[in-house]
Amino acid sequence: MPDRLQLSQNYPPILRNIMYSIKANIIVLTLLLLSDLSALCQSYSDELKFNKRQLSTSFHAEGVAIGDIDMDGKDDIVSGPYWYQGPEFQKKTEFYPPKSFDKTKEYSDNFIVGIDDVNEDGRNDILIVGFPGDTAFWYENPQNKKIQHWKRFLIYPNVDNESPAFADINQDGRLELVFHTDGQLGYASSDKNSPSSTWRFHAVSDKFEWDKFTHGLGVGDVDGDGVNDLIKNDGWWLHPGYNNIESEWKYHQVDFGPGGAQMYALDINQDGFQDVVTSLDAHSYGLTWFQQVREGDSISFKKHIIMGDKPDDNPFGVRFSQLHALRTVDVNNDGLSDLVTGKRVWTRGPQEGWEPDEPAVLYYFERKIDKASGKVYFLPFLIDSDSGVGTQIASGDLNSDGFVDIVTANKNGTFVFFNRGHPGANDH
């Protein structure tokens, strides 16, 4: 089988993608012949299937979210200037003036989306982080009032990093926005008594030389003390506890790579310690988990490459670039969180240096643990080869069938991938 470089030179993208899949399956069969890992064999025979549906062909946004906007008990989808009513997603409602961006040379003004009841009026509002270094706004749900566009309020004027996160940091039951600004990492919180006011920024770090296009950011309980810490590509900051939350958080320097997308704390090998999962470089290659190693009270991390810059870095021969969005979710209902990621479409236009003509793939990496050896495997499954990711991936059971569905938005449009489950499950 030719290597990937030869394939890239001699075959069109769609044929290359088919051949990569064949190569991956040959490698899998070889591994199975050399081992007795029945879980791997079972996984490949029970490969999940997905039904793809495109909600929009326009480039409006690269952020996307799932939540109940009309409060009917059904999840809706928010992408760009529209929210799509679930569970059919046929009806879309415009909540701010739409603008279509040129996918060959423009970026959108919509990178990250959150859904929360900011003003606590019983209706979920929509929160949007725009271009890195620019503004973040929230849009007030009009509660069925017939208005053309929702009223907009400023969250914060200068939101740096390309993967800000919405999370409840101070345990007040509402979402805060995690980002860095002017070189300091922290979070912004709304004023419960004045929800229309600009949110207050709480710095948790010293000042660093970070610019607005810095990559790699996440929220998770790294040390396992029950509260969420902040994670960045160059380390993590220990949450001091809710009683001391306004104090400076202790910084632990770790090299988690040049900076990818969303970062997670997750016990990958189920040894009782939280590991860190991240894409290494949002504009190049690398999907990695960093195993937490404890020596007394000392915490260090051991790097494990899931997928690198060469096909040989992945035992199944899979490689693609520009993993600018990452999500952990249990895709196959086996109780273990898996990884969902893909190739961001034309991150810097068709002239970019990272395989602009390669297939816009979306993958899930199914996590398996061999009970005998404790070794962790990530089995790559192609969900789609003609959609890709943006800067955020959303997931949820959109049709209440018990399987998690995947939603993406990028320069190719907005896509829903309905998880059909294993072969034999009912089609949607």
Side-chain angles (χ1 to χ4, degrees):
M1 178 68 67
D3 64 22
R4 189 173 181 100
L5 179 61
Q6 292 172 316
L7 287 173
S8 297
Q9 292 173 339
N10 297 326
Y11 298 102
I14 189 168
L15 180 57
R16 288 198 300 269
N17 196 65
I18 294 172
M19 296 187 75
Y20 300 153
S21 298
I22 294 172
K23 182 178 180 181
N25 286 330
I26 291 173
I27 294 172
V28 170
L29 291 173
T30 302
L31 288 173
L32 293 175
L33 289 173
L34 296 175
S35 69
D36 58 354
L37 300 177
S38 59
L40 295 186
C41 185
Q42 182 64 32
S43 222
Y44 265 83
S45 66
D46 287 348
E47 179 180 353
L48 301 180
K49 303 298 180 183
F50 291 83
N51 278 357
K52 174 182 176 181
R53 180 171 165 197
Q54 189 163 6
L55 300 184
S56 170
T57 59
S58 299
F59 173 34
H60 290 298
E62 295 191 84
V64 66
I66 293 172
D68 189 358
I69 301 300
D70 55 359
M71 310 309 288
D72 65 350
K74 306 290 185 181
D75 274 336
D76 310 301
I77 294 172
V78 177
S79 176
Y82 306 107
W83 67 272
Y84 298 81
Q85 186 180 41
E88 291 83 11
F89 307 107
Q90 298 284 352
K91 178 183 177 182
K92 69 178 182 181
T93 301
E94 179 181 306
F95 67 94
Y96 71 78
K99 177 183 177 181
S100 293
F101 296 90
D102 185 342
K103 65 183 289 185
T104 66
K105 59 185 177 182
E106 286 187 294
Y107 297 97
S108 77
D109 58 2
N110 188 318
F111 266 52
I112 301 293
V113 183
I115 297 175
D116 195 27
D117 183 3
V118 178
N119 54 2
E120 298 185 333
D121 64 352
R123 293 272 176 170
N124 279 327
D125 309 300
I126 298 173
L127 302 77
I128 293 178
V129 181
F131 190 74
D134 209 337
T135 50
F137 295 99
W138 69 275
Y139 293 80
E140 182 180 35
N141 192 321
Q143 303 188 37
N144 295 324
K145 296 176 183 176
K146 294 188 179 298
I147 62 174
Q148 183 177 9
H149 295 129
W150 295 14
K151 192 171 182 179
R152 186 178 73 172
F153 299 94
L154 180 66
I155 293 178
Y156 202 79
N158 308 108
V159 179
D160 295 345
N161 200 286
E162 296 203 18
S163 301
F166 287 107
D168 186 0
I169 301 299
N170 57 12
Q171 208 180 28
D172 65 351
R174 295 180 295 165
L175 293 181
E176 283 77 51
L177 176 59
V178 178
F179 61 103
H180 58 83
T181 186
D182 195 26
Q184 285 189 291
L185 179 64
Y187 63 96
S189 61
S190 61
D191 183 346
K192 183 176 182 179
N193 297 318
S194 181
S196 62
S197 301
T198 303
W199 293 16
R200 176 191 167 202
F201 180 71
H202 309 257
V204 307
S205 76
D206 288 331
K207 198 164 185 176
F208 289 77
E209 294 183 358
W210 299 323
D211 65 29
K212 62 183 180 180
F213 297 118
T214 299
H215 295 77
L217 187 61
V219 178
D221 183 9
V222 176
D223 65 333
D225 65 353
V227 292
N228 281 329
D229 310 302
L230 301 189
I231 315 168
K232 204 174 167 301
N233 65 303
D234 38 16
W236 62 283
W237 283 258
L238 176 67
H239 194 304
Y242 298 114
N243 292 333
N244 301 306
I245 196 170
E246 294 294 337
S247 63
E248 185 175 307
W249 296 22
K250 185 177 180 180
Y251 173 49
H252 298 264
Q253 185 175 3
V254 183
D255 182 5
F256 289 128
Q262 291 78 17
M263 304 179 71
Y264 299 90
L266 182 67
D267 186 1
I268 293 293
N269 56 355
Q270 293 192 313
D271 65 353
F273 300 122
Q274 296 281 83
D275 311 301
V276 171
V277 182
T278 181
S279 59
L280 286 181
D281 190 332
H283 296 290
S284 185
Y285 303 93
L287 180 61
T288 307
W289 71 280
F290 291 83
Q291 179 183 356
Q292 183 175 150
V293 179
R294 290 282 184 106
E295 294 183 6
D297 294 330
S298 175
I299 295 177
S300 61
F301 291 90
K302 179 181 178 181
K303 181 178 178 180
H304 298 270
I305 295 177
I306 300 171
M307 181 178 65
D309 62 355
K310 302 182 295 295
D312 290 344
D313 290 335
N314 180 269
F316 308 100
V318 174
R319 185 200 74 159
F320 54 88
S321 63
Q322 301 181 84
L323 287 69
H324 213 303
L326 174 67
R327 190 167 184 88
T328 62
V329 62
D330 184 2
V331 178
N332 62 337
N333 288 354
D334 68 349
L336 296 177
S337 293
D338 310 301
L339 310 182
V340 180
T341 188
K343 180 180 175 65
R344 187 181 179 190
V345 181
W346 280 2
T347 306
R348 295 175 180 169
Q351 74 284 350
E352 66 194 3
W354 301 278
E355 304 173 334
D357 296 324
E358 288 296 290
V361 296
L362 178 66
Y363 269 86
Y364 76 94
F365 289 78
E366 183 179 301
R367 178 164 54 119
K368 291 294 180 184
I369 303 175
D370 179 33
K371 294 181 180 179
S373 66
K375 185 175 177 59
V376 178
Y377 297 87
F378 285 92
L379 309 184
F381 291 99
L382 180 66
I383 297 175
D384 187 62
S385 61
D386 188 23
S387 56
V389 301
T391 52
Q392 189 178 26
I393 298 169
S395 61
D397 185 0
L398 295 173
N399 49 11
S400 303
D401 68 348
F403 291 98
V404 172
D405 309 303
I406 308 297
V407 186
T408 64
N410 52 56
K411 293 184 177 183
N412 284 334
T414 302
F415 302 87
V416 183
F417 299 92
F418 291 102
N419 187 348
R420 294 170 49 199
H422 302 300
N426 293 328
D427 289 348
H428 302 314

